[in-house]
Amino acid sequence: MCNHMRFHISEVRKVMPEDSFYFSILRNPVTMMESSFSYYKYIPAFSKVSTLDQFLQDPWSHYNASLPNNHYAKNLLMFDFGFNNNGKDERHLNLSIAMIAKTFNLILISEYFDESMILLKNALCWSLDDVVSFKLNSRNNKTKQQLSLETMEKIKEWNSLDWKLYLHFNRTFWRRIDESVGREKIQDEVKKLRDRRSQLMKICLQEGGAVDPSRVKDTFFKPFQYGAAEIQGYNLNPHLIDQTKTRCQRLITPELQYTASLYDKQFPDMVLKASVQNKTKQTHSQTWKAKMRQRRNLNHQGAENQNLRHNVYRKRGPKRTAQNNLPNMP
């Protein structure tokens, strides 16, 4: 199971096997807050302020936990793990951390994405090619804000639960590296991963890297744009063929389109049923349009007949009926 969701272990276990491997990835709450403000600018908490600094001057005057989508504005990590993101109790935080550590086999760190992929590869006995990727869902620099030290400290204070959660699992992340791989060896593997990524980018990409959404030529590969962010995408090398093309397409497909493709693969019967329904709708639509055209033609013809009747009646005069002077018409 791989998707956006608020984690609830009892619900997940209803559909996942007992021996499932649970892992997640955390992002620094400071940069995540800056990103959330850009991407979710229109949620109630952010909608009436023009800058993140303005929000942080008096966040409680803008933040209302009961309003929809405002969880993006405070302790989003805690919320996504299924805990109370508005709590202040240190004991509650410690219990939450203990439950996450007990449930999840591996917690990764976004700021060390390549090191995280090596840990994941080793934990699941995957190959290097299984974890090579291109950066997706990334904003261009025009919509990124440089944060002052003061702003960073305010974000940490406002998201204090997330900050402590992040610090804890950042420590366990490096401890896991030290105990399982070692710093020197993981850097060797990271270099191999980055070399492989560079190789694939040269093969797959027309410009050799990401481009702004306005420059993405194939609309299927254009990322969904939301809020004030400009999410970049990629253009494929036009000379790709067969398996190489398929692989490159998978590497640049944005998350919404990729999720739709996974659904199609996971639920082929539903896709077939939907396809049949669409064809039926199209047939009904075509039949309806044909009937409407026929009706318009008849109405048009009827109007012409009325005009003809009127003209004949006027030419022949009132003593003879118009009907008797008309040819055999419907």
Side-chain angles (χ1 to χ4, degrees):
M1 178 188 292
C2 179
N3 217 318
H4 289 297
M5 64 173 176
R6 192 178 188 193
F7 189 73
H8 197 306
I9 186 62
S10 61
E11 293 299 315
V12 173
R13 282 178 175 163
K14 289 179 182 179
V15 294
M16 297 302 292
E18 285 295 319
D19 62 346
S20 294
F21 181 92
Y22 291 87
F23 72 96
S24 188
I25 188 164
L26 306 184
R27 183 178 181 180
N28 187 318
V30 174
T31 57
M32 185 165 67
M33 182 76 177
E34 185 274 327
S35 175
S36 294
F37 185 81
S38 174
Y39 201 79
Y40 301 109
K41 181 64 179 69
Y42 304 114
I43 66 172
F46 298 149
S47 62
K48 295 182 180 180
V49 294
S50 56
T51 66
L52 180 56
D53 285 316
Q54 186 181 347
F55 171 82
L56 292 168
Q57 284 175 5
D58 187 11
W60 286 111
S61 66
H62 306 290
Y63 177 79
N64 183 340
S66 65
L67 295 180
N69 295 322
N70 267 357
H71 61 274
Y72 289 112
K74 186 172 178 62
N75 292 314
L76 181 56
L77 296 178
M78 284 288 285
F79 179 89
D80 280 346
F81 276 111
F83 301 109
N84 178 15
N85 61 315
N86 296 294
K88 297 179 180 179
D89 185 4
E90 193 78 16
R91 181 173 175 274
H92 169 71
L93 173 64
N94 292 334
L95 286 172
S96 302
I97 289 174
M99 289 184 67
I100 294 169
K102 182 180 178 181
T103 304
F104 286 81
N105 304 85
L106 183 61
I107 298 291
L108 308 173
I109 300 295
S110 179
E111 284 68 33
Y112 302 101
F113 190 83
D114 290 339
E115 290 86 349
S116 293
M117 291 302 99
I118 298 302
L119 280 187
L120 183 64
K121 172 185 78 71
N122 294 346
L124 295 175
C125 301
W126 287 350
S127 70
L128 194 67
D129 271 5
D130 289 328
V131 294
V132 69
S133 65
F134 296 166
K135 195 172 185 179
L136 298 175
N137 207 30
S138 178
R139 293 173 294 158
N140 62 15
N141 291 326
K142 290 185 291 184
T143 54
K144 291 180 181 178
Q145 179 186 349
Q146 293 297 319
L147 303 176
S148 67
L149 291 175
E150 183 184 1
T151 301
M152 291 180 184
E153 291 305 315
K154 286 182 178 179
I155 292 174
K156 291 175 187 178
E157 183 181 354
W158 174 246
N159 297 281
S160 60
L161 298 180
D162 272 8
W163 181 243
K164 292 172 184 176
L165 181 78
Y166 177 81
L167 290 178
H168 173 86
F169 284 108
N170 188 48
R171 287 192 296 269
T172 62
F173 174 79
W174 288 105
R175 190 184 308 149
R176 176 106 175 207
I177 287 176
D178 290 337
E179 293 173 354
S180 63
V181 186
R183 302 284 177 108
E184 187 176 342
K185 185 175 179 182
I186 201 166
Q187 289 309 313
D188 290 340
E189 294 209 51
V190 164
K191 184 180 183 304
K192 292 176 183 176
L193 177 62
R194 290 173 179 170
D195 288 345
R196 180 61 175 145
R197 179 186 296 126
S198 297
Q199 181 187 28
L200 284 169
M201 291 182 82
K202 289 177 183 177
I203 294 171
C204 296
L205 304 179
Q206 193 169 19
E207 289 88 355
V211 297
D212 285 349
S214 61
R215 293 176 57 199
V216 176
K217 297 173 183 176
D218 190 332
T219 55
F220 178 80
F221 297 114
K222 186 173 183 177
F224 177 65
Q225 304 296 311
Y226 188 77
E230 285 190 29
I231 309 300
Q232 294 185 305
Y234 297 95
N235 289 316
L236 278 183
N237 183 335
H239 306 298
L240 299 171
I241 58 171
D242 302 334
Q243 293 181 345
T244 303
K245 183 177 182 179
T246 300
R247 170 145 202 203
C248 291
Q249 286 174 334
R250 288 175 179 170
L251 285 167
I252 71 164
T253 302
E255 66 171 310
L256 294 183
Q257 292 92 315
Y258 206 104
T259 302
S261 297
L262 289 177
Y263 282 161
D264 291 350
K265 189 172 183 178
Q266 188 174 1
F267 305 110
D269 293 340
M270 293 179 66
V271 174
L272 180 62
K273 183 178 178 181
S275 177
V276 171
Q277 289 175 342
N278 286 336
K279 287 181 180 178
T280 303
K281 286 180 181 178
Q282 288 175 0
T283 302
H284 288 166
S285 176
Q286 290 169 356
T287 304
W288 180 81
K289 287 178 180 177
K291 287 181 178 179
M292 290 302 295
R293 283 196 299 270
Q294 185 179 24
R295 185 175 295 177
R296 282 196 298 269
N297 291 338
L298 288 173
N299 289 340
H300 179 68
Q301 190 175 24
E304 287 182 341
N305 291 345
Q306 289 292 341
N307 289 336
L308 180 58
R309 289 189 181 100
H310 183 63
N311 289 336
V312 170
Y313 185 79
R314 283 172 56 189
K315 288 178 182 178
R316 300 289 184 178
K319 293 183 178 179
R320 301 182 66 184
T321 64
Q323 186 67 37
N324 292 336
N325 292 308
L326 285 174
N328 188 16
M329 294 182 182

